Amino acid sequence: MVRQRRAQWIPVGVVMLAVVIDLVTPTDITSAPLLATAPVAAAPLLTPPGIIAIGALSMVVQVVLARVDHTFGWHGGVANQLTLVAVTVLAVLINRTLTGQSARTRRARQVAAVAQAAVLPRPPSRLGDLRIAARYVPAEDEAMIGGDLYVVQETPHGVRVMVGDVRGKGLGAVGAVCADLGAFRYAADEAEDLPGLVNALERALLREGGRSGDQERDEGFTTALIAEFAVGLDAVRIVNRGHPPPLLLDAEGTATALEPSREAPPLGMAALGTWSFPVDTFPFPPGSTLLCYTDGVTEARDEAGVFYDAEVRLPRLLRPRSLVGDPPTPGQILQLLIDDVGRHTGGRIQDDQALLALHRPAPETGPVPRRPGV
């Protein structure tokens, strides 16, 4: 906002520069062409009254400078004034066009935000003792949603989670996201265990691929991380189908990548063959946070082409906070990660990022009771 207010002074700066140039140069050199750029510079920065004011200021300054240089005449002077009037009118028309485009962009973003909330609703902030936060960072501001997804669901078998990234971009990817989410929400309640859940997802995606045509059936897939929290939250069971491994953050901020014991291909490739996949179980002690994300994080690169490494960088951000006060919330952890990825890439987001943090609070410790007589 401050930067925008400062930018509004640019047209005035152009007029002042024209005055300086006119005063330090010979009288046969005019600054009228530079004055004509002031209303144009005001077109994207000011309202129509402000643009007209800049145009009027340019006209007055041009007359005064021409009088000082004794160069104002009916031929050159009137021509310059008419040019400034025409440029000012053109700048107002440009401003109206830009304003209309900006309004259409805002409406498109509002529609995209509604679509995102419908297709990819944010999970609840709490399910039992599990604290949850989710973020979606699009690679393009106008897109709002693409092929990345997350879903958290409380089921008769415990809390189950999926984070995924479908192949492709655009509306096709959004359609695949809808298919993945619908299949998960049904299978998560029905399947007795994670292998049954994953197999149900495979069948649903295979059917969806068949409806999309031969190429989509053969080439469409979804990298996915499916997790299930044990009753009591003492452990988390994970199936990794070609997805970046999640991080387990302990109460001290140490990060450990939960690598799968055996690699498995993405979901949706059952038409090409049958693969077995492991269900890996990891301890989930109090104070821990399971951090899941898509490859928009792991494949983010800096100017030298170095990939972002959350396992190394995130503890450096978390340890100072854990030492000076309360541990960061899941939402704060995700924001720290998003901001750090932005710093690493210099603000050039190369792919969508879907992030999910699931936290098991540590038991609250009250004041130590005093012994009698102490």
Side-chain angles (χ1 to χ4, degrees), residues 34-228:
L34 183 58
L35 286 171
T37 65
V40 178
L45 302 174
L46 302 178
T47 61
I51 297 171
I52 294 173
I54 291 295
L57 176 64
S58 299
M59 295 175 67
V60 171
V61 169
Q62 194 274 327
V63 170
V64 171
L65 292 177
R67 291 293 186 185
V68 170
D69 293 337
H70 304 289
T71 58
F72 187 86
W74 286 109
H75 182 70
V78 172
N80 286 332
Q81 292 291 295
L82 291 176
T83 299
L84 288 172
V85 170
V87 170
T88 301
V89 172
L90 178 62
V92 171
L93 295 177
I94 292 174
N95 175 268
R96 291 177 64 87
T97 301
L98 293 175
T99 301
Q101 291 177 346
S102 178
R104 289 191 293 271
T105 300
R106 285 195 301 271
R107 288 194 295 270
R109 288 182 59 83
Q110 291 171 356
V111 171
V114 173
Q116 183 188 37
V119 174
L120 194 66
R122 184 164 293 184
S125 59
R126 178 173 179 173
L127 286 176
D129 291 333
L130 197 63
R131 307 296 195 272
I132 305 165
R135 298 288 188 275
Y136 193 97
V137 182
E140 299 179 6
D141 290 340
E142 293 81 4
M144 293 298 291
I145 185 170
D148 293 9
L149 62 100
Y150 48 70
V151 57
V152 182
Q153 187 163 320
E154 189 172 24
T155 76
H157 316 286
V159 176
R160 288 176 168 174
V161 175
M162 181 169 74
V163 177
D165 184 2
V166 306
R167 172 187 172 272
K169 300 289 185 181
L171 293 178
V174 175
V177 167
C178 294
D180 287 349
L181 294 176
F184 177 86
R185 291 194 181 280
Y186 175 78
D189 282 336
E190 298 297 323
E192 295 289 337
D193 53 21
L194 281 188
L197 170 57
V198 174
N199 289 330
L201 286 171
E202 286 277 22
R203 292 191 297 270
L205 295 178
L206 186 62
R207 289 193 301 269
E208 185 64 25
R211 298 188 186 100
S212 302
D214 292 340
Q215 182 177 3
E216 289 298 323
R217 180 175 69 246
D218 293 339
E219 299 181 4
F221 60 82
T222 300
T223 67
L225 184 79
I226 299 100
E228 176 184 80

Side-chain angles (χ1 to χ4, degrees), residues 17-18 36 67 93 98 112 138 149 159 184 198 215 229 240 243 251 254 268-269 284 289 310 326 374:
L17 178 62
R67 291 293 186 185
L93 295 177
L98 293 175
L149 62 100
V159 176
F184 177 86
V198 174
Q215 182 177 3
F229 290 89
N240 192 324
H243 199 75
T254 301
M269 302 181 68
F284 193 57
T289 300
D326 294 333
V374 177

